[in-house]
């Protein structure tokens, strides 16, 4: 066995916007970790079997009465702890130090002087000053600061505005940093995490795509035995990686159901079949349901009604098909770790950000099938690396996200086949040109939106009176906020010309320059 989960770290979340980033840095260093809310049952903390703990930052102040606290069991376990920002302040206060608020917040770059030659920061520096002190360029984001060291701690780092910017109790291997090593602006952040994980906690680096694939295959085989699995394949990254993984693990015990709802991108259904059925030999059944979806959508103009209609019909069709496979024992799903964290947060009421949309509206309640969710532990970037490891094409694995309701929310108002066909052609031109100009990977999501209004144009000697489309391209890290992408004018000009010259039904092309907020990424 690979021992993928032998060395693991538990991250306690105090509500920082960077908590998932901490987890990704830990995983990138080859160490498995999970995120629990700070007030999780202490038995769960004991059972987890961590080799060390990381306490995240958070929006709260330790000076408030109702402040989140570090569970005392952490100090009893005698394992290494790294507290970041709020995590350091809470720890400092609980261990006998003092936190203060001098009314000055600090956000952004700062230069920290490392002190005391601690095991955490020794020889990690961006520069050395004339007196021989190591200096680090870091990212700060805090209001309160530690004013007095807790008992047994020494000073590890300082800045002008936070004289106590790092603390260490080397005997107990407890460290605190006021700055954020998980943010890429902290240049030595990766080195600091590696030091903590490998040297201080003694973790190896088993967590990598090759080992993840090997372990997942073994796990799926053990769980499924000679049972049969069905999977709803959408062509998106997550379900594609699940299909590839299960195919590798259980071959023809897997049956994929691909519902073509008529709201997919240009030739997408054919591509899915080519890749999975022809190329990889995966057992895929394609259900051509365009007519059923278009019928259901007739007369619907409200975006939420459209979403519901598409989601419900998808489940209905998927269930019909699933029933035909009455030998199936398992249903596979592409659930990934952020979904798990979000739904855990939703049950405890602690999620700071709750996504309002879900791909297909969840599982039918009366499904007797058992679940197989091989991506449950993975972040999106890990899913992609696993996809590449399994031999899926780069283009497929690094595709922009595509919403569950597909073109249904990119055709404003009522959805008609004529609109969808026109939109597919325009979208294909835009995407192909982005790829041809090496711009595709520079934007986070790009697509075309169909506006069912007519505008006047002129072609040759004739007058044209036809539809409008908008190009949309955004840059974003988390899709919760986004900037419109600053694409070169020449490029936009070229795309616009191609669309208007090649697609009769389009008389005008516009570019969407709305940010999120106040806009959303999709138009509906
Ligand atoms: P918005 O439009 O809310 O989009 O800024 C944020 C991200 O979510 C995607 N999106 C959806 N995904 N079902 C989905 O599976 C939906 O109903 C849906 N609506 C928006 C959108 O494409 C973007 O990536």
């Amino acid at each position: 066995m690979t021992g993928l989960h032998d060395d693991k770290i538990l991250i306690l979340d105090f509500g920082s916007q960077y908590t998932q980033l901490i987890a990704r840095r830990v995983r990138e260093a080859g160490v498995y970790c999970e995120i629990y809310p700070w007030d999780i049952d202490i038995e769960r903390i004991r059972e987890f079997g961590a080799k060390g703990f990381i306490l995240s930052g958070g929006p709260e102040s330790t000076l408030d009465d109702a402040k989140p606290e570090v569970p005392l069991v952490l100090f009893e376990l005698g394992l290494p702890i790294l507290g970041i920002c709020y995590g350091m302040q809470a720890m400092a206060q609980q261990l006998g130090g003092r936190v203060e608020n001098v009314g000055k917040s600090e956000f952004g770059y700062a230069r920290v002087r490392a002190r005391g030659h601690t095991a955490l920061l020794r020889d990690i520096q961006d520069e050395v000053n004339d007196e021989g002190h190591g200096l680090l360029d870091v990212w700060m984001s805090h209001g309160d600061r530690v004013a007095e060291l807790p008992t047994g701690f020494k000073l590890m780092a300082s800045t002008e505005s936070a004289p106590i910017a790092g603390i260490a109790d080397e005997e107990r291997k407890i460290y605190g940093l006021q700055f954020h090593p998980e943010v890429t602006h902290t240049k030595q952040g990766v080195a600091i995490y590696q030091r903590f994980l490998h040297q201080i906690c003694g973790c190896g680096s088993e967590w990598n795509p090759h080992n993840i694939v090997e372990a997942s295959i073994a796990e799926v085989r053990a769980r499924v035995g000679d049972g049969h699995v069905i999977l709803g394949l959408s062509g998106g990254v997550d379900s594609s990686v699940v299909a590839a993984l299960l195919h590798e693990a259980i071959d023809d015990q897997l049956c994929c159901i691909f519902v073509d709802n008529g709201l997919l991108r240009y030739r997408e259904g054919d591509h899915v079949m080519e890749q999975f059925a022809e190329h990889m030999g995966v057992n895929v059944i394609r259900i051509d349901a365009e007519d059923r979806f278009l019928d259901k959508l007739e007369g619907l103009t409200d975006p939420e009604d459209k979403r519901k209609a598409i989601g419900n019909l998808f489940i209905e069709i998927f269930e019909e098909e699933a029933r035909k496979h009455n030998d199936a024992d398992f249903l596979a799903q592409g659930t990934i770790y952020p979904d798990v964290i979000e739904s855990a947060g939703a049950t405890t009421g602690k999620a700071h950000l709750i996504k309002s949309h879900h791909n297909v509206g969840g599982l039918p309640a009366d499904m007797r099938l058992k679940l197989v969710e091989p991506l449950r532990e993975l972040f999106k970037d890990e899913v992609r690396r696993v996809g590449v490891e399994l031999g899926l094409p780069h283009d497929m694995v690094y595709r922009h996200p595509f919403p569950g309701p597909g073109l249904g929310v990119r055709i404003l108002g009522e959805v008609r086949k004529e609109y969808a066909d026109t939109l597919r052609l325009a979208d294909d031109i835009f995407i192909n040109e982005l790829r041809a100009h090496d711009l595709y990977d520079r934007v986070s999501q790009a697509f075309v939106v169909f506006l069912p209004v007519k505008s006047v144009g002129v072609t040759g000697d004739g007058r044209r009176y036809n539809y409008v489309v908008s190009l949309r391209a955004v840059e974003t890290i988390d899709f919760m906020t986004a900037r419109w992408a600053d694409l070169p004018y020449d490029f936009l000009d070229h795309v616009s010309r191609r669309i208007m010259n090649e697609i009769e039904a389009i008389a005008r092309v516009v570019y969407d320059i709305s940010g999120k907020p106040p806009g959303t990424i999709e138009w509906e």
Side-chain angles (χ1 to χ4, degrees):
M1 278 310 283
T2 55
L4 196 60
H5 298 98
D6 285 356
D7 296 342
K8 52 190 177 183
I9 294 290
L10 185 57
I11 299 168
L12 283 189
D13 182 21
F14 289 89
S16 166
Q17 54 174 332
Y18 299 133
T19 306
Q20 290 197 22
L21 211 48
I22 299 176
R24 283 167 54 196
R25 293 287 168 269
V26 172
R27 304 261 189 114
E28 278 160 15
V31 180
Y32 180 69
C33 62
E34 286 186 26
I35 300 173
Y36 284 4
W38 63 272
D39 58 351
I40 188 92
D41 184 358
I42 59 167
E43 276 317 306
R44 301 266 311 271
I45 297 179
R46 284 183 198 279
E47 281 161 16
F48 184 77
K51 286 217 152 172
F53 298 98
I54 298 177
L55 313 176
S56 84
E60 249 74 42
S61 166
T62 59
L63 303 171
D64 292 344
D65 289 341
K67 56 191 180 273
E69 294 201 322
V70 182
L72 296 177
V73 61
L74 256 62
F75 303 121
E76 290 157 17
L77 286 169
L79 294 163
I81 304 175
L82 173 62
I84 293 165
C85 198
Y86 181 87
M88 153 164 139
Q89 294 168 5
M91 204 164 65
Q93 198 179 49
Q94 287 174 243
L95 295 176
R98 190 169 64 83
V99 176
E100 66 179 4
N101 188 308
V102 287
K104 263 197 282 176
S105 300
E106 189 180 17
F107 296 105
Y109 280 108
R111 180 151 262 210
V112 163
R113 186 180 135 189
R115 290 171 181 267
H117 302 280
T118 55
L120 186 67
L121 296 184
R122 186 174 303 128
D123 299 328
I124 297 180
Q125 62 219 6
D126 291 303
E127 253 181 67
V128 178
N129 68 9
D130 293 343
E131 292 101 62
H133 300 301
L135 300 174
L136 291 162
D137 292 326
V138 305
W139 188 256
M140 287 277 197
S141 166
H142 66 108
D144 298 351
R145 64 184 194 188
V146 174
E148 274 170 37
L149 288 171
T151 327
F153 277 73
K154 68 177 181 182
L155 184 62
M156 178 167 70
S158 55
T159 67
E160 260 173 41
S161 57
I164 302 183
I167 58 175
D169 177 341
E170 299 236 70
E171 202 144 305
R172 296 162 75 190
K173 297 189 180 175
I174 303 181
Y175 299 88
L177 292 172
Q178 184 55 67
F179 59 89
H180 290 272
E182 62 278 8
V183 175
T184 49
H185 303 292
T186 298
K187 293 189 198 143
Q188 299 297 328
V190 171
I192 295 172
Y193 275 114
Q194 292 197 341
R195 175 70 61 80
F196 179 71
L197 298 166
H198 302 307
Q199 264 87 53
I200 296 175
C201 299
C203 295
S205 37
E206 292 297 320
W207 184 259
N208 59 52
H210 176 79
N211 290 350
I212 295 171
V213 167
E214 231 177 55
S216 306
I217 288 176
E219 229 168 84
V220 168
R221 284 185 183 148
R223 175 154 168 79
V224 171
D226 27 329
H228 286 88
V229 182
I230 49 172
L231 164 71
L233 180 63
S234 71
V237 179
D238 302 338
S239 69
S240 297
V241 174
V242 174
L245 187 69
L246 292 184
H247 179 64
E248 194 74 30
I250 54 168
D251 203 353
D252 57 8
Q253 288 160 256
L254 168 70
C255 176
C256 299
I257 298 169
F258 168 55
V259 179
D260 187 341
N261 59 11
L263 304 168
L264 302 177
R265 288 164 286 195
Y266 185 66
R267 290 204 63 237
E268 188 158 13
D270 298 341
H271 285 310
V272 168
M273 294 310 286
E274 277 156 24
Q275 173 62 33
F276 288 97
E278 288 156 43
H279 203 73
M280 293 168 60
V282 178
N283 194 358
V284 189
I285 297 170
R286 176 177 185 168
I287 312 289
D288 189 356
E290 182 182 38
D291 292 346
R292 284 179 71 177
F293 279 89
L294 289 174
D295 278 353
K296 258 273 164 8
L297 288 167
E298 206 181 311
L300 292 188
T301 52
D302 178 79
E304 287 312 303
D305 292 346
K306 286 163 51 177
R307 273 198 173 79
K308 250 179 250 152
I310 297 167
N312 291 342
L313 183 56
F314 176 88
I315 291 179
E316 198 180 307
I317 295 175
F318 187 79
E319 278 188 295
E320 278 169 26
E321 280 314 304
R323 255 179 241 121
K324 293 183 196 160
H325 296 265
N326 48 19
D327 59 340
D329 315 277
F330 295 90
L331 174 73
Q333 281 208 315
T335 316
I336 66 173
Y337 190 45
D339 304 333
V340 176
I341 302 173
E342 266 174 32
S343 44
T347 21
T348 57
K350 272 197 207 66
H352 283 253
L353 308 167
I354 299 173
K355 250 206 209 150
S356 58
H357 19 244
H358 297 279
N359 254 342
V360 290
L363 277 182
D366 60 350
M367 274 265 185
R368 63 175 171 81
L369 300 168
K370 288 172 270 179
L371 281 184
V372 178
E373 297 178 307
L375 312 180
R376 260 184 91 81
E377 291 183 341
L378 307 186
F379 284 107
K380 194 83 179 185
D381 46 340
E382 294 172 325
V383 172
R384 293 200 158 106
R385 278 188 293 242
V386 162
V388 171
E389 177 74 26
L390 285 161
L392 288 176
H394 185 276
D395 278 3
M396 169 176 264
V397 168
Y398 284 90
R399 260 178 136 187
H400 295 164
F402 185 65
L407 302 187
V409 289
R410 294 181 179 172
I411 293 167
L412 303 195
E414 187 180 7
V415 176
R416 295 191 192 155
K417 178 166 166 54
E418 167 207 354
Y419 297 167
D421 288 341
T422 302
L423 174 55
R424 265 188 276 272
L425 295 176
D427 188 74
D428 190 55
I429 291 176
F430 186 32
I431 297 299
N432 284 335
E433 289 296 341
L434 283 165
R435 288 201 192 276
H437 288 80
D438 277 339
L439 292 166
Y440 186 84
D441 294 322
R442 300 238 301 267
V443 299
S444 315
Q445 196 171 11
F447 51 90
V448 179
V449 180
F450 184 88
L451 315 186
V453 287
K454 288 195 172 180
S455 167
V456 172
V458 53
T459 46
D461 302 328
R463 178 180 177 277
R464 192 197 267 203
Y465 183 54
N466 238 322
Y467 294 110
V468 182
V469 293
S470 173
L471 310 181
R472 178 74 163 144
V474 294
E475 289 167 13
T476 171
I477 306 263
D478 56 6
F479 295 87
M480 307 302 293
T481 61
R483 290 168 42 115
W484 55 274
D486 190 6
L487 294 173
Y489 284 175
D490 284 354
F491 170 78
L492 290 171
D493 179 54
H494 174 66
V495 172
S496 148
R497 277 169 201 274
R498 269 202 66 193
I499 290 177
M500 284 191 292
N501 286 336
E502 295 174 31
I503 309 172
E504 175 77 34
I506 297 175
R508 197 166 290 260
V509 176
V510 299
Y511 187 54
D512 179 0
I513 53 165
S514 321
K516 173 182 179 177
T520 50
I521 296 174
E522 302 288 348
W523 277 42
E524 284 201 334

mmCIF file of all heavy atoms in Angstrom, residues 307 357-359 401 403-405 410 445 479 516 520-522, ligand 1:
data_model
loop_
_atom_site.group_PDB
_atom_site.id
_atom_site.type_symbol
_atom_site.label_atom_id
_atom_site.label_comp_id
_atom_site.label_asym_id
_atom_site.label_seq_id
_atom_site.Cartn_x
_atom_site.Cartn_y
_atom_site.Cartn_z
ATOM 1 N N ARG A 307 -33.944 26.883 -15.179
ATOM 2 C CA ARG A 307 -32.996 26.021 -14.460
ATOM 3 C C ARG A 307 -33.702 24.812 -13.859
ATOM 4 O O ARG A 307 -33.234 23.686 -13.962
ATOM 5 C CB ARG A 307 -32.343 26.790 -13.314
ATOM 6 C CG ARG A 307 -31.128 27.555 -13.704
ATOM 7 C CD ARG A 307 -30.309 27.922 -12.457
ATOM 8 N NE ARG A 307 -29.057 28.508 -12.878
ATOM 9 C CZ ARG A 307 -28.917 29.767 -13.290
ATOM 10 N NH1 ARG A 307 -29.970 30.572 -13.352
ATOM 11 N NH2 ARG A 307 -27.734 30.221 -13.665
ATOM 12 N N HIS A 357 -26.043 27.460 -6.843
ATOM 13 C CA HIS A 357 -26.470 26.540 -7.897
ATOM 14 C C HIS A 357 -25.772 25.199 -7.819
ATOM 15 O O HIS A 357 -24.645 25.076 -7.427
ATOM 16 C CB HIS A 357 -26.277 27.115 -9.295
ATOM 17 C CG HIS A 357 -25.316 28.243 -9.374
ATOM 18 N ND1 HIS A 357 -25.701 29.489 -9.731
ATOM 19 C CD2 HIS A 357 -24.005 28.319 -9.127
ATOM 20 C CE1 HIS A 357 -24.656 30.277 -9.716
ATOM 21 N NE2 HIS A 357 -23.633 29.595 -9.350
ATOM 22 N N HIS A 358 -26.482 24.212 -8.210
ATOM 23 C CA HIS A 358 -25.942 22.866 -8.226
ATOM 24 C C HIS A 358 -26.213 22.300 -9.596
ATOM 25 O O HIS A 358 -27.192 22.630 -10.234
ATOM 26 C CB HIS A 358 -26.596 22.012 -7.156
ATOM 27 C CG HIS A 358 -26.309 22.542 -5.792
ATOM 28 N ND1 HIS A 358 -25.144 22.300 -5.130
ATOM 29 C CD2 HIS A 358 -27.019 23.370 -5.010
ATOM 30 C CE1 HIS A 358 -25.158 22.931 -3.994
ATOM 31 N NE2 HIS A 358 -26.279 23.600 -3.890
ATOM 32 N N ASN A 359 -25.337 21.428 -9.995
ATOM 33 C CA ASN A 359 -25.416 20.933 -11.353
ATOM 34 C C ASN A 359 -26.771 20.406 -11.756
ATOM 35 O O ASN A 359 -27.390 20.903 -12.667
ATOM 36 C CB ASN A 359 -24.394 19.812 -11.523
ATOM 37 C CG ASN A 359 -23.246 20.315 -12.345
ATOM 38 O OD1 ASN A 359 -23.387 21.331 -13.031
ATOM 39 N ND2 ASN A 359 -22.128 19.642 -12.292
ATOM 40 N N PRO A 401 -15.190 25.989 -17.008
ATOM 41 C CA PRO A 401 -16.420 25.397 -16.491
ATOM 42 C C PRO A 401 -17.610 25.700 -17.400
ATOM 43 O O PRO A 401 -17.621 26.722 -18.096
ATOM 44 C CB PRO A 401 -16.616 26.073 -15.134
ATOM 45 C CG PRO A 401 -15.676 27.210 -15.082
ATOM 46 C CD PRO A 401 -14.632 27.027 -16.134
ATOM 47 N N PRO A 403 -21.936 25.561 -17.231
ATOM 48 C CA PRO A 403 -23.013 25.365 -16.254
ATOM 49 C C PRO A 403 -23.885 24.156 -16.593
ATOM 50 O O PRO A 403 -24.053 23.827 -17.771
ATOM 51 C CB PRO A 403 -23.823 26.663 -16.367
ATOM 52 C CG PRO A 403 -23.504 27.219 -17.708
ATOM 53 C CD PRO A 403 -22.109 26.778 -18.044
ATOM 54 N N GLY A 404 -24.432 23.532 -15.553
ATOM 55 C CA GLY A 404 -25.324 22.385 -15.746
ATOM 56 C C GLY A 404 -26.445 22.663 -16.747
ATOM 57 O O GLY A 404 -26.677 21.865 -17.658
ATOM 58 N N PRO A 405 -27.144 23.806 -16.642
ATOM 59 C CA PRO A 405 -28.233 24.083 -17.587
ATOM 60 C C PRO A 405 -27.743 24.497 -18.970
ATOM 61 O O PRO A 405 -28.544 24.798 -19.863
ATOM 62 C CB PRO A 405 -28.995 25.253 -16.942
ATOM 63 C CG PRO A 405 -28.442 25.405 -15.573
ATOM 64 C CD PRO A 405 -27.086 24.807 -15.558
ATOM 65 N N ARG A 410 -27.763 30.730 -21.404
ATOM 66 C CA ARG A 410 -27.014 31.667 -22.261
ATOM 67 C C ARG A 410 -27.866 32.155 -23.430
ATOM 68 O O ARG A 410 -27.392 32.908 -24.276
ATOM 69 C CB ARG A 410 -25.726 31.005 -22.758
ATOM 70 C CG ARG A 410 -24.778 30.748 -21.609
ATOM 71 C CD ARG A 410 -23.497 30.122 -22.015
ATOM 72 N NE ARG A 410 -22.652 29.931 -20.839
ATOM 73 C CZ ARG A 410 -21.518 29.263 -20.826
ATOM 74 N NH1 ARG A 410 -21.089 28.702 -21.949
ATOM 75 N NH2 ARG A 410 -20.816 29.152 -19.715
ATOM 76 N N GLN A 445 -13.040 31.866 -17.902
ATOM 77 C CA GLN A 445 -14.250 31.342 -18.533
ATOM 78 C C GLN A 445 -14.604 32.272 -19.686
ATOM 79 O O GLN A 445 -14.526 33.494 -19.545
ATOM 80 C CB GLN A 445 -15.392 31.290 -17.519
ATOM 81 C CG GLN A 445 -16.553 30.435 -17.957
ATOM 82 C CD GLN A 445 -17.595 30.218 -16.867
ATOM 83 O OE1 GLN A 445 -17.558 30.866 -15.832
ATOM 84 N NE2 GLN A 445 -18.519 29.312 -17.095
ATOM 85 N N PHE A 479 -14.530 32.379 -8.907
ATOM 86 C CA PHE A 479 -15.830 32.525 -9.564
ATOM 87 C C PHE A 479 -16.874 33.241 -8.689
ATOM 88 O O PHE A 479 -18.011 33.378 -9.084
ATOM 89 C CB PHE A 479 -16.373 31.165 -10.071
ATOM 90 C CG PHE A 479 -15.499 30.588 -11.161
ATOM 91 C CD1 PHE A 479 -14.403 29.793 -10.850
ATOM 92 C CD2 PHE A 479 -15.747 30.893 -12.490
ATOM 93 C CE1 PHE A 479 -13.571 29.300 -11.852
ATOM 94 C CE2 PHE A 479 -14.933 30.404 -13.492
ATOM 95 C CZ PHE A 479 -13.844 29.609 -13.168
ATOM 96 N N LYS A 516 -18.090 41.197 -11.805
ATOM 97 C CA LYS A 516 -18.924 40.522 -10.798
ATOM 98 C C LYS A 516 -18.315 40.790 -9.439
ATOM 99 O O LYS A 516 -17.164 40.402 -9.243
ATOM 100 C CB LYS A 516 -18.971 39.029 -11.065
ATOM 101 C CG LYS A 516 -19.698 38.256 -9.950
ATOM 102 C CD LYS A 516 -19.695 36.773 -10.188
ATOM 103 C CE LYS A 516 -20.405 36.056 -9.042
ATOM 104 N NZ LYS A 516 -20.511 34.624 -9.230
ATOM 105 N N THR A 520 -23.243 39.105 -12.824
ATOM 106 C CA THR A 520 -22.813 37.730 -12.580
ATOM 107 C C THR A 520 -22.049 37.316 -13.822
ATOM 108 O O THR A 520 -22.020 38.050 -14.809
ATOM 109 C CB THR A 520 -24.019 36.784 -12.356
ATOM 110 O OG1 THR A 520 -24.942 36.997 -13.412
ATOM 111 C CG2 THR A 520 -24.677 37.048 -11.021
ATOM 112 N N ILE A 521 -21.432 36.154 -13.775
ATOM 113 C CA ILE A 521 -20.656 35.720 -14.934
ATOM 114 C C ILE A 521 -21.605 35.342 -16.067
ATOM 115 O O ILE A 521 -21.499 35.844 -17.180
ATOM 116 C CB ILE A 521 -19.707 34.558 -14.558
ATOM 117 C CG1 ILE A 521 -18.690 35.068 -13.532
ATOM 118 C CG2 ILE A 521 -19.025 34.007 -15.801
ATOM 119 C CD1 ILE A 521 -17.779 34.007 -12.960
ATOM 120 N N GLU A 522 -22.560 34.470 -15.770
ATOM 121 C CA GLU A 522 -23.595 34.145 -16.758
ATOM 122 C C GLU A 522 -24.566 35.318 -16.819
ATOM 123 O O GLU A 522 -24.669 36.097 -15.872
ATOM 124 C CB GLU A 522 -24.348 32.877 -16.343
ATOM 125 C CG GLU A 522 -23.470 31.645 -16.159
ATOM 126 C CD GLU A 522 -22.932 31.071 -17.460
ATOM 127 O OE1 GLU A 522 -23.412 31.476 -18.543
ATOM 128 O OE2 GLU A 522 -22.024 30.226 -17.388
HETATM 129 P P1 LIG B 1 -22.481 33.309 -11.950
HETATM 130 O O1 LIG B 1 -23.276 33.513 -13.203
HETATM 131 O O2 LIG B 1 -23.341 32.973 -10.762
HETATM 132 O O3 LIG B 1 -21.588 32.032 -12.221
HETATM 133 O O4 LIG B 1 -21.542 34.439 -11.677
HETATM 134 C C1 LIG B 1 -20.535 31.562 -11.424
HETATM 135 C C2 LIG B 1 -20.074 30.234 -11.994
HETATM 136 O O5 LIG B 1 -21.116 29.267 -11.854
HETATM 137 C C3 LIG B 1 -21.522 28.777 -13.127
HETATM 138 N N1 LIG B 1 -22.987 28.640 -13.093
HETATM 139 C C4 LIG B 1 -23.644 27.481 -12.970
HETATM 140 N N2 LIG B 1 -23.181 26.226 -12.871
HETATM 141 N N3 LIG B 1 -25.405 25.427 -12.758
HETATM 142 C C5 LIG B 1 -24.078 25.197 -12.785
HETATM 143 O O6 LIG B 1 -23.673 24.032 -12.721
HETATM 144 C C6 LIG B 1 -25.947 26.671 -12.851
HETATM 145 O O7 LIG B 1 -27.165 26.829 -12.828
HETATM 146 C C7 LIG B 1 -25.008 27.744 -12.969
HETATM 147 N N4 LIG B 1 -25.155 29.084 -13.069
HETATM 148 C C8 LIG B 1 -23.895 29.622 -13.145
HETATM 149 C C9 LIG B 1 -21.050 29.795 -14.130
HETATM 150 O O8 LIG B 1 -20.858 29.217 -15.419
HETATM 151 C C10 LIG B 1 -19.769 30.289 -13.485
HETATM 152 O O9 LIG B 1 -18.702 29.401 -13.740
#
